[in-house]
Amino acid sequence: MAAKKNSVVETSRRNAVAGRGPSIKTPTLAQNPYLESVYQEVVRRNPGECEFHQAVHEVLDSLGPVLAKFPEFAEHRIIERICEPERQIIFRIPWQDDKGEVRINRGFRVEFNSALGPYKGGLRFHPSVYLGIVKFLGFEQIFKNSLTGMPIGGGKGGSDFDPHGKSDNEIMRFCQSFMNELYRHLGEYTDVPAGDIGVGGREIGFLFGQYKRITNRYESGVLTGKGLSYGGSLVRTEATGYGLIFFIEQMLKVRGESIKGKTCVVSGSGNVAIFAIEKIHQMGGKVIACSDSDGYILDKRGIDLDLLKRVKLEQRKRIREYVEQQPKSHYVAGGNIWEVPCEVAAPCATQNELNGKDAALLSKNGVIAVAEGANMPTTPEGVKVFLDKGVAFGPGKAANAGGVATSALEMQQNASRDAWTFDFTEQKLRQIMMGIHDSCYKTAEEFGTPGNYVNGANICGFIKVAKAMVSLGLI
Ligand code: GLU
């Protein structure tokens, strides 16, 4: 099943690459035999891990001109080394449900690259989690974290545990069992997890509590996304969504546009989506649709954010509940949110949620900017459509880096026993996002593909890690 999906994604990716017009000067992977052979080796060594293959292909596809400029990277086998995680931990998580039944899940932590700092990246609890998902996320995280300019390496973890419908006690027992194994691999100078899909403040609290109990150390810097009463940072909850909109603001500015007055669509309805909507509304834009995996809601007057927060964050209910409480809005069961016409689109749900057809429909309907709040939500075909049509496209590793950047700000506050104000922290986040935008923009131009933020992010993120790896020797 996974292998079949894999071949579909990869065949279409190759077709997409082969179909590129002469205006894009970057050599494609197929035109670069060395990169192609590295990619084929990654596919061979990691069978069935289609999301990981996809993430590697996207980065390697940008690197031809980098190798031409820095031949030492090939001599030092940097690409081969960067595609192989430094360490992969897979473990059993036994726990008891409320009926006293014993349940078993599988836990993962992939410590991908520590050239720039301790491994840093979230934990995802979702039934779809397997090694290929954790590796794609960990691989992306290396370059994302590099782009933030903060001293953090890349890693990711999680479990196939499904938090939906579980009681608080079940969540706590699961988190404690998860940490019973993971604690030995963590530390503020070693590996610092945070949240991702299915892991928020509640889970981080239970994980931190158990880490503290096992180690007998109040090591605040070992996890980020903590509650404010025990070492968390203001703005961390909002950071990924806010940062995404700061990034879009910059992409629009380059084109002489702004968010003010724009009609927007944001997929998802978790933390990232909710705070992206909040920031769009603060900046004078209007979000008319958001979604969950069952369908989407359409509220032409603009999403009522207080209601959305109540339904999703307080009541932990499905999005259809919004319509029950706001009868003037519509719920489209099983609908595709990308059919809603908009000028700005932000996929903030999950990987591969926006395909080539969706991208074609969005651009036909007049979208001018798209930025990824989720990790790899746009398929390779979708990315190609946006780039070909001249839509400003912000890839996740740049556009959603505000979350992990604010995690690094949390680590900074923990290390100095300090706590910054909301405004000060948000200002720092905005500066970081502006910096990421500018580096991606300049790098894309420098390497011959102006306006292509995918190349800009991949190249800029990669070069910093590669240079550090060369300096650190063969380790
Ligand atoms: N899971 C988030 C991401 O994809 C945040 C990671 C973190 O804060 O360490 O970047």
Side-chain angles (χ1 to χ4, degrees), residues 435-449:
I436 294 175
H437 172 275
D438 292 355
S439 337
C440 294
Y441 187 81
K442 282 188 196 129
T443 306
E445 215 162 48
E446 193 187 324
F447 282 84
T449 54

PDB file of all heavy atoms in Angstrom, residues 435-449:
ATOM      1  N   GLY A 435      13.335  38.217   8.502  1.00  0.00           N
ATOM      2  CA  GLY A 435      14.696  37.774   8.147  1.00  0.00           C
ATOM      3  C   GLY A 435      14.661  36.520   7.282  1.00  0.00           C
ATOM      4  O   GLY A 435      15.381  36.418   6.284  1.00  0.00           O
ATOM      5  N   ILE A 436      13.792  35.559   7.645  1.00  0.00           N
ATOM      6  CA  ILE A 436      13.693  34.315   6.861  1.00  0.00           C
ATOM      7  C   ILE A 436      13.209  34.653   5.451  1.00  0.00           C
ATOM      8  O   ILE A 436      13.749  34.163   4.453  1.00  0.00           O
ATOM      9  CB  ILE A 436      12.723  33.309   7.538  1.00  0.00           C
ATOM     10  CG1 ILE A 436      13.290  32.844   8.882  1.00  0.00           C
ATOM     11  CG2 ILE A 436      12.465  32.112   6.623  1.00  0.00           C
ATOM     12  CD1 ILE A 436      12.355  31.949   9.679  1.00  0.00           C
ATOM     13  N   HIS A 437      12.188  35.505   5.376  1.00  0.00           N
ATOM     14  CA  HIS A 437      11.673  35.891   4.055  1.00  0.00           C
ATOM     15  C   HIS A 437      12.791  36.496   3.204  1.00  0.00           C
ATOM     16  O   HIS A 437      13.014  36.097   2.059  1.00  0.00           O
ATOM     17  CB  HIS A 437      10.516  36.890   4.168  1.00  0.00           C
ATOM     18  CG  HIS A 437      10.112  37.441   2.844  1.00  0.00           C
ATOM     19  ND1 HIS A 437      10.738  38.535   2.264  1.00  0.00           N
ATOM     20  CD2 HIS A 437       9.203  37.013   1.939  1.00  0.00           C
ATOM     21  CE1 HIS A 437      10.221  38.750   1.070  1.00  0.00           C
ATOM     22  NE2 HIS A 437       9.279  37.848   0.856  1.00  0.00           N
ATOM     23  N   ASP A 438      13.530  37.428   3.799  1.00  0.00           N
ATOM     24  CA  ASP A 438      14.548  38.127   3.009  1.00  0.00           C
ATOM     25  C   ASP A 438      15.662  37.184   2.584  1.00  0.00           C
ATOM     26  O   ASP A 438      16.144  37.253   1.447  1.00  0.00           O
ATOM     27  CB  ASP A 438      15.112  39.311   3.805  1.00  0.00           C
ATOM     28  CG  ASP A 438      14.045  40.398   3.973  1.00  0.00           C
ATOM     29  OD1 ASP A 438      12.942  40.255   3.395  1.00  0.00           O
ATOM     30  OD2 ASP A 438      14.313  41.380   4.688  1.00  0.00           O
ATOM     31  N   SER A 439      16.086  36.274   3.482  1.00  0.00           N
ATOM     32  CA  SER A 439      17.162  35.348   3.072  1.00  0.00           C
ATOM     33  C   SER A 439      16.686  34.439   1.946  1.00  0.00           C
ATOM     34  O   SER A 439      17.436  34.168   1.010  1.00  0.00           O
ATOM     35  CB  SER A 439      17.666  34.441   4.203  1.00  0.00           C
ATOM     36  OG  SER A 439      17.432  34.957   5.442  1.00  0.00           O
ATOM     37  N   CYS A 440      15.440  33.949   2.037  1.00  0.00           N
ATOM     38  CA  CYS A 440      14.937  33.054   0.968  1.00  0.00           C
ATOM     39  C   CYS A 440      14.833  33.833  -0.344  1.00  0.00           C
ATOM     40  O   CYS A 440      15.208  33.319  -1.415  1.00  0.00           O
ATOM     41  CB  CYS A 440      13.565  32.484   1.330  1.00  0.00           C
ATOM     42  SG  CYS A 440      13.593  31.397   2.749  1.00  0.00           S
ATOM     43  N   TYR A 441      14.349  35.045  -0.247  1.00  0.00           N
ATOM     44  CA  TYR A 441      14.148  35.868  -1.451  1.00  0.00           C
ATOM     45  C   TYR A 441      15.495  36.144  -2.135  1.00  0.00           C
ATOM     46  O   TYR A 441      15.651  35.950  -3.340  1.00  0.00           O
ATOM     47  CB  TYR A 441      13.454  37.166  -1.038  1.00  0.00           C
ATOM     48  CG  TYR A 441      13.051  38.031  -2.206  1.00  0.00           C
ATOM     49  CD1 TYR A 441      11.886  37.768  -2.917  1.00  0.00           C
ATOM     50  CD2 TYR A 441      13.853  39.100  -2.606  1.00  0.00           C
ATOM     51  CE1 TYR A 441      11.517  38.555  -3.997  1.00  0.00           C
ATOM     52  CE2 TYR A 441      13.492  39.894  -3.687  1.00  0.00           C
ATOM     53  CZ  TYR A 441      12.319  39.612  -4.378  1.00  0.00           C
ATOM     54  OH  TYR A 441      11.961  40.378  -5.453  1.00  0.00           O
ATOM     55  N   LYS A 442      16.468  36.567  -1.310  1.00  0.00           N
ATOM     56  CA  LYS A 442      17.795  36.900  -1.874  1.00  0.00           C
ATOM     57  C   LYS A 442      18.483  35.664  -2.419  1.00  0.00           C
ATOM     58  O   LYS A 442      19.121  35.698  -3.479  1.00  0.00           O
ATOM     59  CB  LYS A 442      18.681  37.534  -0.784  1.00  0.00           C
ATOM     60  CG  LYS A 442      18.333  38.986  -0.543  1.00  0.00           C
ATOM     61  CD  LYS A 442      19.345  39.655   0.385  1.00  0.00           C
ATOM     62  CE  LYS A 442      18.766  40.962   0.930  1.00  0.00           C
ATOM     63  NZ  LYS A 442      18.837  41.089   2.371  1.00  0.00           N
ATOM     64  N   THR A 443      18.381  34.547  -1.693  1.00  0.00           N
ATOM     65  CA  THR A 443      19.056  33.320  -2.140  1.00  0.00           C
ATOM     66  C   THR A 443      18.466  32.831  -3.463  1.00  0.00           C
ATOM     67  O   THR A 443      19.200  32.405  -4.358  1.00  0.00           O
ATOM     68  CB  THR A 443      18.935  32.222  -1.055  1.00  0.00           C
ATOM     69  OG1 THR A 443      19.410  32.751   0.171  1.00  0.00           O
ATOM     70  CG2 THR A 443      19.728  30.982  -1.419  1.00  0.00           C
ATOM     71  N   ALA A 444      17.136  32.916  -3.586  1.00  0.00           N
ATOM     72  CA  ALA A 444      16.491  32.485  -4.840  1.00  0.00           C
ATOM     73  C   ALA A 444      17.032  33.306  -6.007  1.00  0.00           C
ATOM     74  O   ALA A 444      17.331  32.769  -7.084  1.00  0.00           O
ATOM     75  CB  ALA A 444      14.977  32.657  -4.732  1.00  0.00           C
ATOM     76  N   GLU A 445      17.203  34.588  -5.759  1.00  0.00           N
ATOM     77  CA  GLU A 445      17.706  35.485  -6.815  1.00  0.00           C
ATOM     78  C   GLU A 445      19.158  35.150  -7.144  1.00  0.00           C
ATOM     79  O   GLU A 445      19.533  34.987  -8.307  1.00  0.00           O
ATOM     80  CB  GLU A 445      17.607  36.919  -6.293  1.00  0.00           C
ATOM     81  CG  GLU A 445      17.272  37.941  -7.348  1.00  0.00           C
ATOM     82  CD  GLU A 445      16.770  39.218  -6.698  1.00  0.00           C
ATOM     83  OE1 GLU A 445      17.428  39.708  -5.749  1.00  0.00           O
ATOM     84  OE2 GLU A 445      15.707  39.696  -7.123  1.00  0.00           O
ATOM     85  N   GLU A 446      19.961  34.992  -6.071  1.00  0.00           N
ATOM     86  CA  GLU A 446      21.397  34.716  -6.236  1.00  0.00           C
ATOM     87  C   GLU A 446      21.631  33.429  -7.034  1.00  0.00           C
ATOM     88  O   GLU A 446      22.578  33.329  -7.801  1.00  0.00           O
ATOM     89  CB  GLU A 446      22.005  34.594  -4.839  1.00  0.00           C
ATOM     90  CG  GLU A 446      23.514  34.620  -4.776  1.00  0.00           C
ATOM     91  CD  GLU A 446      23.996  34.312  -3.353  1.00  0.00           C
ATOM     92  OE1 GLU A 446      23.332  34.725  -2.380  1.00  0.00           O
ATOM     93  OE2 GLU A 446      25.018  33.609  -3.241  1.00  0.00           O
ATOM     94  N   PHE A 447      20.750  32.449  -6.857  1.00  0.00           N
ATOM     95  CA  PHE A 447      20.944  31.168  -7.542  1.00  0.00           C
ATOM     96  C   PHE A 447      20.104  31.054  -8.818  1.00  0.00           C
ATOM     97  O   PHE A 447      19.842  29.961  -9.313  1.00  0.00           O
ATOM     98  CB  PHE A 447      20.704  30.010  -6.568  1.00  0.00           C
ATOM     99  CG  PHE A 447      21.877  29.787  -5.638  1.00  0.00           C
ATOM    100  CD1 PHE A 447      22.000  30.540  -4.475  1.00  0.00           C
ATOM    101  CD2 PHE A 447      22.880  28.883  -5.948  1.00  0.00           C
ATOM    102  CE1 PHE A 447      23.084  30.384  -3.631  1.00  0.00           C
ATOM    103  CE2 PHE A 447      23.977  28.707  -5.100  1.00  0.00           C
ATOM    104  CZ  PHE A 447      24.085  29.459  -3.942  1.00  0.00           C
ATOM    105  N   GLY A 448      19.678  32.186  -9.329  1.00  0.00           N
ATOM    106  CA  GLY A 448      19.114  32.218 -10.687  1.00  0.00           C
ATOM    107  C   GLY A 448      17.637  31.886 -10.812  1.00  0.00           C
ATOM    108  O   GLY A 448      17.150  31.674 -11.917  1.00  0.00           O
ATOM    109  N   THR A 449      16.898  31.834  -9.699  1.00  0.00           N
ATOM    110  CA  THR A 449      15.453  31.569  -9.804  1.00  0.00           C
ATOM    111  C   THR A 449      14.677  32.603  -8.984  1.00  0.00           C
ATOM    112  O   THR A 449      14.093  32.266  -7.954  1.00  0.00           O
ATOM    113  CB  THR A 449      15.103  30.147  -9.308  1.00  0.00           C
ATOM    114  OG1 THR A 449      15.631  29.982  -7.985  1.00  0.00           O
ATOM    115  CG2 THR A 449      15.660  29.078 -10.201  1.00  0.00           C
TER     116      THR A 449
END
